[in-house]
C-alpha cells in the first residue's frame, strides 16, 4: 500500500470510529427514552459518550492540520465530522433535559423519534464502513438515502406530536413548553443525521 493510501486510510478509520461511538450513544439514548423513567440513571453515560466523541473529534482535527494529504477537501472533512458530532450532542441534550424537566409521562411519539434516531445512526455506521470506497461502492449512497427516508418519517411523527400536544385543551403552559422543547430537540437530532447523509452525498458528487 502506498504512503498516500495509508494517509487517507487514517481518516477513513477515524470516520468509522466516530460513527461506531455515535451508535453506542444512540442505543443508550433510545434505552433512556423508550423505558423512561427506568433507565434515567444512565444520563451520565450519555455525557461520557459525548465527551469521548469530542475527544475523537479533536484527534481528527489534529490529523487534519498535520496532514499534507487528505482523502477529499479539508473543509468537507471538517464540516462532516462537526455534523456527526452534532448528532451525539443532540442526543445527550435530550436525555439530560428529560432529567432536568422532571418528565412524568412519556408520549409514544417521543419514543418513536428516539427509535428513528437510533436507526439513522445504525445506517450511518454502515455507510462509514463502506466510505473508504465511496467512488465505487453503491452502499454509501444507499445508506445515505435510507437516512433521508428516516428523517422524512421523523417529520411526520414530529408534526403529529405537535398537533396532539396543542389539541389537548387541559394541559398547562409548562407542559406545552416542556414538550414543545423536547420534540424540537428530538427533531434536530434527525436533522443532523440527514445533514450527515447530505454532506456525504456532496462528497461523492464532488469527487466522482
Amino acid at each position: 500500500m502506498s504512503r498516500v493510501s495509508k494517509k487517507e486510510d487514517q481518516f477513513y478509520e477515524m470516520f468509522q470510529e466516530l460513527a461506531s461511538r455515535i451508535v453506542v450513544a444512540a442505543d443508550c439514548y433510545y434505552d433512556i427514552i423508550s423505558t423512561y423513567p427506568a433507565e434515567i440513571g444512565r444520563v451520565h453515560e450519555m455525557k461520557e459518550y459525548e465527551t469521548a466523541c469530542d475527544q475523537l473529534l479533536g484527534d481528527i482535527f489534529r490529523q487534519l492540520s498535520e496532514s499534507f494529504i487528505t482523502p477529499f477537501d479539508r473543509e468537507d472533512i471538517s464540516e462532516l465530522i462537526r455534523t456527526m458530532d452534532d448528532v451525539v450532542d443532540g442526543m445527550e441534550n435530550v436525555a439530560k433535559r428529560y432529567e432536568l424537566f422532571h418528565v412524568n409521562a412519556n408520549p409514544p411519539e417521543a419514543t418513536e423519534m428516539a427509535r428513528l434516531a437510533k436507526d439513522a445512526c445504525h445506517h450511518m455506521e454502515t455507510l462509514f464502513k463502506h466510505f473508504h470506497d465511496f467512488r465505487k461502492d453503491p452502499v454509501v449512497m444507499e445508506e445515505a438515502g435510507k437516512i433521508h427516508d428516516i428523517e422524512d418519517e421523523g417529520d411526520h411523527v414530529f408534526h403529529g406530536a405537535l398537533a396532539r400536544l396543542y389539541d389537548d385543551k387541559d394541559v398547562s403552559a409548562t407542559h406545552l413548553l416542556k414538550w414543545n422543547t423536547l420534540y424540537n430537540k428530538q427533531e434536530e437530532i434527525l436533522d443532523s443525521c440527514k445533514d450527515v447523509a447530505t454532506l456525504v452525498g456532496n462528497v461523492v458528487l464532488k469527487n466522482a
Side-chain angles (χ1 to χ4, degrees), residues 59-74:
D59 292 340
I60 300 174
F61 276 122
R62 279 191 292 275
Q63 184 68 30
L64 191 60
S65 67
E66 295 169 0
S67 297
F68 179 73
I69 305 262
T70 59
F72 47 88
D73 288 350
R74 294 173 187 275

Side-chain angles (χ1 to χ4, degrees), residues 18-160:
L18 183 56
S20 294
R21 294 188 186 189
I22 290 171
V23 161
V24 173
D27 288 344
C28 181
Y29 166 67
Y30 175 70
D31 287 346
I32 290 171
I33 304 304
S34 65
T35 66
Y36 184 83
E39 300 288 326
I40 194 62
R42 298 180 65 192
V43 167
H44 69 91
E45 285 184 46
M46 292 300 303
K47 183 60 182 176
E48 292 171 1
Y49 299 141
E50 187 265 338
T51 300
C53 287
D54 282 347
Q55 291 170 345
L56 181 54
L57 199 71
D59 292 340
I60 300 174
F61 276 122
R62 279 191 292 275
Q63 184 68 30
L64 191 60
S65 67
E66 295 169 0
S67 297
F68 179 73
I69 305 262
T70 59
F72 47 88
D73 288 350
R74 294 173 187 275
E75 293 78 8
D76 291 336
I77 293 174
S78 176
E79 188 174 8
L80 180 56
I81 60 174
R82 286 184 187 278
T83 307
M84 292 173 72
D85 189 57
D86 287 343
V87 176
V88 181
D89 288 346
M91 292 187 293
E92 192 267 335
N93 187 293
V94 170
K96 181 169 60 180
R97 284 173 187 266
Y98 259 66
E99 185 176 52
L100 292 175
F101 288 179
H102 302 294
V103 170
N104 56 11
N106 198 37
E109 294 91 344
T111 294
E112 180 63 7
M113 291 182 75
R115 182 191 66 79
L116 290 170
K118 176 177 71 79
D119 289 350
C121 290
H122 278 267
H123 285 296
M124 192 187 304
E125 182 182 37
T126 301
L127 183 160
F128 282 105
K129 286 179 179 177
H130 293 258
F131 193 47
H132 65 282
D133 197 25
F134 68 79
R135 292 175 179 85
K136 298 179 180 179
D137 194 333
V139 171
V140 173
M141 291 305 294
E142 289 169 3
E143 293 300 310
K146 291 175 184 177
I147 294 170
H148 277 281
D149 290 343
I150 287 172
E151 193 276 335
D152 287 341
E153 185 178 350
D155 279 345
H156 290 297
V157 177
F158 171 64
H159 294 146

